[in-house]
Amino acid sequence: MIGGGIGSGLSAPWKARYGDDRPVVAQLESFLEHRSVRKYTSEQIEERVIEGLVGCAQSAATSSNLQLWSIVSVQDSERRETLAQLCGDQQQIRDAAWFLCFLADHHRLRHAAELAGETAEGLDYNEFYTMAVIDAALAAERMVCAAESLGIGICYIGGLRNNPDLVAQALGLPAGVFGVFGLCLGWPNTEHPAEVKPRLGQHSIWFRETYDVNASVEEYNTRMADFYASQGMKGDVSWSKRSGRRVGLTQMTGREVLKEWLNRQGLDVR
């Protein structure tokens, strides 16, 4: 036992993440089991559950209590189909019980400030755009942790940024609002279980006192080769190679226009 009544033991999720056996604080194991779920049953999630999850999201930290984020839930089948196509034709968007779009939102605060006689000119600066994106991410992850505690599966959808203008039209977004990512929520289909994906070793991301520019990822490349092979992917193409390609200019999937679009939308102007 660890102090404070916290138990520990060997953890299968830890081994899946890092490839080694190690005692883990038992109460943390469920967080290590996170995975992206893309196959769902047809069972619905009650709206009262979603209301509770939104409450969890709103309980996340928000800088200066500005709350620079919003959610649009999309249940209409035609609108859902439009978004699925705009996000790269992702089937899980069609199949999920709920699809939520998390937004960086300057519109609400700018409008409220102007009604109160304030200009809110500072919202034009990059700092407040960054703050809005962070707020949206913190809120979503708080919701995800709560959802997973109920057995609900989730999948983040970064493809919401592929076609920012068309997504804004589909969601009726005013100036000052940007779709940061989508979130699928549904009951996992156990006939198609999702796997826990390995992560970089902690020595590659956790540095003591100062940044280690020589931290190696080769051990991770080896572990990911085995994972790729288990998923029917090419194990001889390393994580480093795949990731390098993903951040190349040929893999932007339309997002190369984001800076210009954000400026037109009144975000990240200065």
Side-chain angles (χ1 to χ4, degrees), residues 106 110 121-131 266-270:
H106 285 184
R110 188 183 295 277
E121 292 175 298
L123 284 174
D124 290 345
Y125 282 90
N126 172 270
E127 164 61 12
F128 289 101
Y129 166 72
T130 302
M131 191 182 292
L267 292 154
D268 196 17
V269 176
R270 290 190 275 179

Side-chain angles (χ1 to χ4, degrees), residues 220-242:
Y220 184 60
N221 280 331
T222 299
R223 283 191 289 119
M224 281 302 291
D226 293 336
F227 180 80
Y228 291 141
S230 75
Q231 301 298 302
M233 303 165 68
K234 293 181 179 179
D236 58 344
V237 181
S238 69
W239 173 82
S240 293
K241 185 73 170 178
R242 289 174 191 271

Side-chain angles (χ1 to χ4, degrees), residues 67-94:
Q67 303 175 73
L68 296 174
W69 66 279
S70 294
I71 298 170
V72 172
S73 62
V74 179
Q75 298 302 90
D76 177 78
S77 59
E78 291 186 10
R79 197 183 311 276
R80 189 85 75 92
E81 176 62 29
T82 296
L83 290 172
Q85 292 291 338
L86 292 176
C87 292
D89 196 20
Q90 298 194 51
Q91 186 62 35
Q92 61 265 31
I93 296 175
R94 301 181 181 94

Side-chain angles (χ1 to χ4, degrees), residues 185-252:
L185 297 171
W187 299 108
N189 186 333
T190 56
E191 295 181 3
H192 301 278
E195 300 292 333
V196 173
K197 185 178 291 185
R199 292 288 196 253
L200 286 161
Q202 291 192 1
H203 67 276
S204 298
I205 62 98
W206 178 9
F207 311 125
R208 311 300 177 111
E209 310 303 335
T210 60
Y211 192 95
D212 182 2
V213 297
N214 296 311
S216 173
V217 300
E218 287 309 310
E219 172 270 338
Y220 184 60
N221 280 331
T222 299
R223 283 191 289 119
M224 281 302 291
D226 293 336
F227 180 80
Y228 291 141
S230 75
Q231 301 298 302
M233 303 165 68
K234 293 181 179 179
D236 58 344
V237 181
S238 69
W239 173 82
S240 293
K241 185 73 170 178
R242 289 174 191 271
S243 299
R245 288 174 178 172
R246 179 63 186 85
V247 298
L249 294 180
T250 62
Q251 300 293 319
M252 293 299 293

